Amino acid sequence: MKISKYVTVVFLLLSFMLVSGCGQQANTTDQATAKDQSIKIGGSSTLAPTVAKIADDFTEKYKTWNKVDASLPEEQIVIFVSTGGSGFGVKAATEGTVDIGMTARDIKDSEKEKMPNGKIYRLGTDALTIAVNPKNPVLQVKPDVTTEEVKKIFAGEISTWKQLDERLPDRPIVVAVRDLGGGASQVFDELVMKGTPIAKEALQIPSMGALAAKVMENADAIGYVSTGMVAQNEGKISVLSVEGIAPTAENISSGKYKIARPLLIFTKEEPKGQLKFFIDYLMSEKGRQVVEEMGFIPAAN
């Protein structure tokens, strides 16, 4: 993804304060002013590249806020996007560390209580595919699995490919999952595991991009990878059907493919000024086009 000189996109695995701390070290008046006018966004590692791309398009188009609307100041548009997981996005937004939070899961009622005046927007829908390496023979031997088989694989009850199907090699299955801070882990637990613990041997990966990379680099790996990541790495990741249903856009939209989740952005308070103008752009047809380009299903108007 191209990053313009007008937007700063920073992907972090810790805290957005690392970004703001770096910005505060700047000494020039122009940098300080840009910092004051900046929009800070943080949360889901699945959603971050999409929001960053939309932010890049927005800043390339307008460059300064007064070109967005004449009532706004003639200041350079600066947008920071950080990752850290859906849980981080909620925490950072409710604490005021970021202006916009991002999640790839529903926001809990207990979380909504901390932002009673906030606004929640649905950018689109994602699905968690059961992803394997294209070199894995399971794609030819057993391209469709049951939900129960998926559950047993991720629980460690089926630990070799041969145990899944006797025609497959007697090699260990390398299970890769998101860490507990990720929205994907919560969605997968709710829809597939239903409280059954993930295998202790499973590799816990800090971001969806890194999880996709693990599947791409290991012929025996299996993981629940976002449809967006699959689309962005075409030919490098393959997916299995579940209960005879492939994770196609049509099946996800219709609800036939069950392992799906919302892609949300939200604010602690009613957005105003620059923040509202950018959110309007995120939710516009231009934003919807980027959501679709990145491999997700955009929300209906």
Side-chain angles (χ1 to χ4, degrees):
M1 178 184 67
K2 179 176 70 66
I3 304 299
S4 80
K5 64 180 179 179
Y6 300 104
V7 61
T8 303
V9 181
V10 184
F11 297 110
L12 302 175
L13 299 178
L14 297 175
S15 166
F16 191 88
M17 291 306 292
L18 292 175
V19 176
S20 59
C22 291
Q24 289 167 355
Q25 292 173 7
N27 294 319
T28 68
T29 301
D30 288 345
Q31 287 173 313
T33 301
K35 187 64 187 175
D36 293 341
Q37 299 294 335
S38 69
I39 291 176
K40 300 175 286 294
I41 307 170
S44 165
S45 64
T46 298
L47 192 49
T50 299
V51 172
K53 177 63 171 65
I54 298 172
D56 193 46
D57 292 347
F58 181 78
T59 53
E60 285 283 5
K61 180 177 181 178
Y62 295 110
K63 297 179 176 62
T64 57
W65 283 111
N66 64 310
K67 292 179 182 177
V68 178
D69 188 273
S71 67
L72 298 177
E74 188 178 354
E75 300 293 349
Q76 185 180 25
I77 298 172
V78 179
I79 301 174
F80 294 88
V81 178
S82 66
T83 67
S86 295
F88 163 72
V90 173
K91 185 174 187 293
T94 55
E95 292 179 352
T97 308
V98 299
D99 303 299
I100 301 173
M102 303 179 290
T103 67
R105 62 166 173 80
D106 285 316
I107 299 176
K108 304 172 186 176
D109 288 341
S110 60
E111 295 169 335
K112 292 178 182 178
E113 290 173 0
K114 296 179 181 179
M115 43 183 180
N117 301 318
K119 294 283 288 183
I120 300 172
Y121 307 84
R122 185 168 186 147
L123 285 183
T125 301
D126 178 33
L128 297 178
T129 70
I130 306 305
V132 296
N133 189 287
K135 296 179 181 178
N136 195 319
V138 70
L139 293 163
Q140 287 75 45
V141 174
K142 190 175 172 61
D144 179 59
V145 290
T146 66
T147 304
E148 186 63 22
E149 287 171 332
V150 174
K151 180 178 177 180
K152 287 183 177 180
I153 289 171
F154 282 84
E157 295 177 34
I158 296 176
S159 59
T160 69
W161 291 106
K162 190 174 182 64
Q163 288 175 347
L164 178 64
D165 190 294
E166 63 180 11
R167 295 169 294 175
L168 292 171
D170 191 16
R171 296 200 305 260
I173 298 174
V174 179
V175 175
V177 300
R178 273 299 316 274
D179 58 13
L180 296 180
S185 64
Q186 297 180 42
V187 171
F188 194 73
D189 179 67
E190 292 170 5
L191 299 180
V192 177
M193 303 307 290
K194 301 186 184 300
T196 300
I198 295 289
K200 293 180 180 179
E201 298 78 17
L203 302 175
Q204 292 197 28
I205 311 296
S207 72
M208 185 54 74
L211 177 53
K214 178 57 66 176
V215 173
M216 287 188 280
E217 73 184 25
N218 192 316
D220 287 315
I222 189 169
Y224 46 75
V225 175
S226 157
T227 53
M229 287 297 169
V230 174
Q232 292 163 39
N233 294 280
E234 187 176 356
K236 298 177 182 179
I237 302 175
S238 297
V239 301
L240 303 176
S241 295
V242 179
E243 304 290 354
I245 307 296
T248 62
E250 181 180 358
N251 288 337
I252 296 167
S253 296
S254 68
K256 289 182 180 180
Y257 187 82
K258 302 297 184 182
I259 317 175
R261 57 180 180 160
L263 299 174
L264 308 175
I265 60 168
F266 54 95
T267 59
K268 184 179 181 180
E269 304 290 340
E270 182 82 25
K272 299 177 181 178
Q274 287 98 319
L275 192 60
K276 184 180 187 306
F277 280 109
F278 178 61
I279 289 176
D280 287 346
Y281 188 85
L282 279 168
M283 301 304 297
S284 71
E285 185 60 31
K286 294 288 187 181
R288 286 168 47 83
Q289 288 175 7
V290 175
V291 170
E292 188 170 14
E293 288 169 7
M294 297 297 277
F296 304 112
I297 299 170
N301 287 327

